[in-house]
Amino acid sequence: MEFYRTIPALLVLILLGALFWIIKIIKLYCQKRTKIASINTLILGFLILIGLWELRIIPLSADWDFRNQTKDLTGKQFWCWNDYRYEEGGVRGEGFLFEVYRLSDEMAKYFSNPDREFFEHYPGEKFETTKWKETPILDTELVNYFTPIYGDWSRDLQREIEAYQKIVKRLAKDKGAYYAVRDNHGRDLYLISPKEKIIIYINHNM
């Protein structure tokens, strides 16, 4: 509990530190100390770049992060492209993350008839999920849990998310897709549809 209370304070300190650093750099340039000012600018810029990458703001950062998980997730390492991402988090670890990745034709073809190891060994242990199972998902409460609509979301955001949630509900009803679920400190849902050529990832802990 105390850790989560310190997060807002840490964010404020980081912002104040960055502001102080920027002011310092400006002063160095004004003092004609361009060499040390340039070094400070490069260091600060590098740290900002790392932060933006970790926050998935820089293009391809989400794609790269997901690519690094695909081997342990499916047994195959491959690129897929982020079509949609919505993330909402809280200071106590609660949150909602919804991601949609586009599969290549080659990978969609593979997942239309994956080998036996795909079902027996994946996702790997680090994901702490069930192994891949074929849809339909008979547990309607599970599907409803992963497709929430919150009253504090704007109407535009509700419509936006509902459009993607309809895909989840449709895939959950039909055969031909695969899913894995983690139920530990919040819940994760992974859903692969060869027909739609997508992988959906949802984390819900609200």
Side-chain angles (χ1 to χ4, degrees):
M1 181 69 72
E2 292 298 324
F3 172 75
Y4 292 121
R5 288 176 179 172
T6 63
I7 292 177
L10 287 173
L11 291 174
V12 171
L13 288 174
I14 290 171
L15 291 173
L16 289 175
L19 180 61
F20 175 79
W21 201 345
I22 291 170
I23 292 172
K24 179 183 177 181
I25 291 171
I26 293 172
K27 287 182 178 179
L28 289 171
Y29 277 115
C30 291
Q31 294 168 1
K32 308 298 183 182
R33 300 170 65 185
T34 55
K35 184 176 181 180
I36 190 170
S38 298
I39 292 172
N40 275 268
T41 300
L42 287 172
I43 294 172
L44 179 59
F46 180 71
L47 292 175
I48 291 173
L49 189 65
I50 291 174
L52 293 175
W53 181 272
E54 291 299 323
L55 291 172
R56 308 293 179 261
I57 295 173
I58 296 176
L60 293 181
S61 57
D63 303 327
W64 177 264
D65 182 58
F66 201 79
R67 173 191 176 275
N68 290 337
Q69 301 179 55
T70 53
K71 178 68 175 179
D72 290 325
L73 185 63
T74 69
K76 300 281 187 181
Q77 188 170 67
F78 55 90
W79 280 98
C80 48
W81 295 266
N82 186 255
D83 275 357
Y84 180 74
R85 177 183 173 87
Y86 174 75
E87 183 173 15
E88 178 179 331
V91 297
R92 297 182 181 181
E94 71 275 16
F96 179 68
L97 174 62
F98 194 123
E99 295 183 311
V100 181
Y101 290 88
R102 179 68 50 186
L103 291 170
S104 67
D105 291 342
E106 178 185 356
M107 292 313 303
K109 183 178 180 180
Y110 166 75
F111 287 122
S112 65
N113 186 27
D115 54 38
R116 189 173 63 182
E117 285 193 354
F118 172 75
F119 297 101
E120 294 180 351
H121 301 296
Y122 298 98
E125 291 183 1
K126 78 172 189 177
F127 284 91
E128 300 180 341
T129 65
T130 62
K131 299 306 179 186
W132 290 110
K133 301 176 183 179
E134 190 170 359
T135 55
I137 303 175
L138 301 178
D139 187 346
T140 55
E141 288 187 9
L142 179 70
V143 177
N144 291 338
Y145 177 82
F146 283 111
T147 54
I149 293 294
Y150 288 101
D152 60 346
W153 289 348
S154 68
R155 289 185 179 180
D156 287 343
L157 179 57
Q158 288 185 14
R159 285 194 292 266
E160 175 184 296
I161 293 178
E162 279 182 327
Y164 287 98
Q165 289 179 341
K166 285 179 180 177
I167 298 174
V168 173
K169 292 176 179 179
R170 186 177 73 247
L171 295 177
K173 287 181 181 179
D174 298 333
K175 291 184 177 181
Y178 311 101
Y179 71 100
V181 178
R182 182 183 72 89
D183 190 0
N184 184 20
H185 304 297
R187 306 178 88 177
D188 290 342
L189 172 68
Y190 294 90
L191 188 60
I192 298 177
S193 172
K195 183 177 179 180
E196 300 279 347
K197 298 181 182 179
I198 56 174
I199 296 180
I200 294 173
Y201 169 60
I202 303 173
N203 171 263
H204 189 196
N205 182 24
M206 299 281 273

